[in-house]
Amino acid sequence: LFDWLVPVSIRFMKREIKEVAETTYEGTNVAVNLMRTFKSLLVEQLADPKGLIASIKRESDMEKHIDSCFVFCLAWSIGGTANSNEGRLAFDEFVRVAYKGELDLPHGDNTVYQGPSGEKYNLPEDIPEGHMTTSTPLPPDEVKTKDPEGNLVPTRTTIYDFRWNVTKSEWVPWENDIDKSPIPPEMAFKQIIVPTVDTVRYLFLADLSIQYNNPILFCGPTGTGKSVYMQGHLMGMDKEKWAPPNFVGFSAKTSSNITQYLIDAKLDKRRKGYYGPPIGKRIAIMVDDLNMPQKEVYGAQPPIELLRQYMDHGGWYDRENNFRNMQDCLFVAAMGPPGGGRSPITQRYQRHYNLLSIVEFDSKALEHIFGTILAWFYKTKEFPKDIQKLQKSVIAATLDVYNTSISKLLPTPAKSHYTFNLRDVSRVIEGLTLQKAEGIKTGLGGVGEHYRLWVHETLRVFYDRLVDDEDRSWFLEYIKELTETHFGQNFNELFAHLDEDGDGTVDAEELRHCMFGDFMGDDEPDSQ
């Protein structure tokens, strides 16, 4: 399997896919990642004579397990570094063609399979002579799902949408593992995590790595939940086996001395020269924003070089030049893609981690996440039915603002802060959840007030960031357009009470009088 699929998959990945963080050209990083994941998923379970191996009756069953686990590991190691869903789709198509042994056969309109760049993968080293073949099926590439009208329609799926269930010996959709329990009514907004396919699969892979002592590195854009996923998982681990996790956050000014102090402070002395968590437990040390520290004059990042010393030698030197051996410690990390103040970390350190790309959520996932939060808010705060019906249109309008801002309001040297991420969408929704249900009117009056609140929050999050009049004018016109298309409301009629000059249109200066806020203390009876 390795000789057949790994070399050609690495060549495809390096040529066709943009990686979230550069790995070694030869592919040693991802190959080691593949072997670690494969060992954790299958080899360790086969070592238990009373476990999986007892349920395997025929040799063909064993081959099925091996082939399927290998494909799963291939997708999340070599194909797991892609920085976008488009890259994953391309890798999925490639793996399906290669797995069937059809790289040198006609594909579509081409004489042989070609990657997105037009490159062919039919060289002798791509298709080893006498390579093995297998009849083990891949995950389905299409499933039937219900559309809003309840009709069954075919939906494209990839190898990333399924996991191999070792005990059931079948491909299982990640969707089956999503926690459907409702959000608790007393939950704070910032603590809410809406389970999606992405949260399920990332946490499964993180747990697999942590349980088998493999460091894992989450890498993805700001606002995709890297830190939240990891922190939530680490806090929920078995208290009998794990000491409380140590969270270390890096910044541009973090030094190696500070890093060493923050980590050493949480470790106990076991015996002379040996340190670790309380005996009988392990400790997970999470480093957030791993690639933020500035480079020094010779191009190294001192905090990372310190952490690398532990990875390579099992410890580091203290201030008295005595070596501190650190036992039962596991490092996990999260970072944003290199660029814009973030440096690429050295391959000598990155090679120790299982690199996993956290890609941007697609529109369907975003609608589910924020729609769930808004529906929970409307229900728990007992908003009128007229307002509860607005959930879908409010979410759709907010996502339109976000997506259009990303494509139209691009950062330049004079506007370097024009960087929008999912936290901006979250801030708009959070602003909506500050409204009190008690003082809101029923009917069009209350609905109009809710629309005005949405406009207010959108202006505060997006509009207030804009620095020139041209951008402000464009954004205001776009908001007017969205209130027509999504809410069916005329913007100028909605804000007619602010039209001071009576010309029938509300301009930017008049819109400054639209304010929502809490200007009294929480204990005041009129605090609204």
Side-chain angles (χ1 to χ4, degrees), residues 1-248:
L1 280 170
F2 272 83
D3 291 341
W4 170 32
L5 289 174
V6 171
V8 67
S9 296
I10 290 174
R11 188 163 95 82
F12 179 88
M13 182 263 290
K14 285 295 178 184
R15 183 172 181 88
E16 309 287 354
I17 295 175
K18 183 172 172 49
E19 294 180 278
V20 69
E22 194 69 27
T23 57
T24 50
Y25 180 75
E26 300 82 6
T28 49
N29 292 48
V30 290
V32 171
N33 185 349
L34 168 59
M35 288 185 272
R36 284 182 189 145
T37 311
F38 186 75
K39 181 183 178 186
S40 304
L41 197 63
L42 189 66
V43 177
E44 296 283 355
Q45 300 195 44
L46 288 174
D48 181 6
K50 295 180 182 177
L52 174 65
I53 199 137
S55 66
I56 297 174
K57 308 298 182 188
R58 299 187 302 274
E59 188 175 333
S60 59
D61 292 342
M62 175 63 82
E63 288 180 5
K64 192 176 179 183
H65 279 300
I66 292 172
D67 292 348
S68 300
C69 284
F70 180 84
V71 168
F72 177 85
C73 298
L74 186 75
W76 289 107
S77 55
I78 297 175
T81 62
N83 76 335
S84 65
N85 284 310
E86 290 72 26
R88 289 183 177 179
L89 285 171
F91 191 77
D92 168 74
E93 184 183 357
F94 165 79
V95 167
R96 291 183 185 279
V97 174
Y99 192 77
K100 295 174 187 171
E102 297 177 355
L103 286 174
D104 55 349
L105 298 179
H107 186 80
D109 297 332
N110 303 314
T111 53
V112 295
Y113 172 79
Q114 294 182 7
S117 69
E119 176 73 2
K120 298 174 182 176
Y121 295 88
N122 58 348
L123 298 174
E125 58 266 31
D126 295 333
I127 309 171
E129 188 176 345
H131 69 76
M132 65 162 288
T133 56
T134 177
S135 58
T136 305
L138 285 173
D141 59 357
E142 189 178 276
V143 294
K144 295 282 181 92
T145 57
K146 286 186 178 180
D147 62 9
E149 285 76 39
N151 303 316
L152 287 174
V153 293
T155 305
R156 164 88 190 270
T157 57
T158 68
I159 53 178
Y160 296 95
D161 295 322
F162 297 84
R163 69 176 178 87
W164 178 251
N165 188 315
V166 179
T167 52
K168 292 184 178 178
S169 188
E170 64 181 10
W171 290 104
V172 178
W174 289 110
E175 284 186 359
N176 292 4
D177 298 335
I178 295 176
D179 182 8
K180 301 285 199 310
S181 56
I183 302 170
E186 68 283 353
M187 181 76 82
F189 181 87
K190 292 189 185 304
Q191 295 177 331
I192 296 173
I193 298 179
V194 179
T196 64
V197 170
D198 293 301
T199 60
V200 169
R201 55 190 175 192
Y202 296 145
L203 290 179
F204 174 87
L205 292 161
D207 184 61
L208 190 67
S209 290
I210 291 168
Q211 294 306 326
Y212 291 100
N213 214 37
N214 296 321
I216 188 166
L217 171 61
F218 279 180
C219 185
T222 305
T224 47
K226 306 179 296 294
S227 307
V228 176
Y229 293 159
M230 195 71 84
Q231 288 172 3
H233 183 69
L234 294 178
M235 294 300 290
M237 292 196 302
D238 187 353
K239 302 288 190 294
E240 297 293 321
K241 297 178 181 177
W242 293 87
N246 185 4
F247 298 108
V248 179

Side-chain angles (χ1 to χ4, degrees), residues 401 428 452-466 472 475-477 479 491 495 508 511-512 514:
V401 172
V428 173
R452 286 192 286 275
L453 175 61
W454 177 83
V455 172
H456 173 269
E457 294 304 320
T458 310
L459 294 177
R460 298 292 73 78
V461 173
F462 292 93
Y463 180 86
D464 288 354
R465 199 179 299 183
L466 310 182
R472 293 194 192 103
F475 190 85
L476 199 54
E477 289 303 316
I479 290 293
F491 185 87
F495 289 94
L511 206 55
R512 293 177 66 179
C514 171

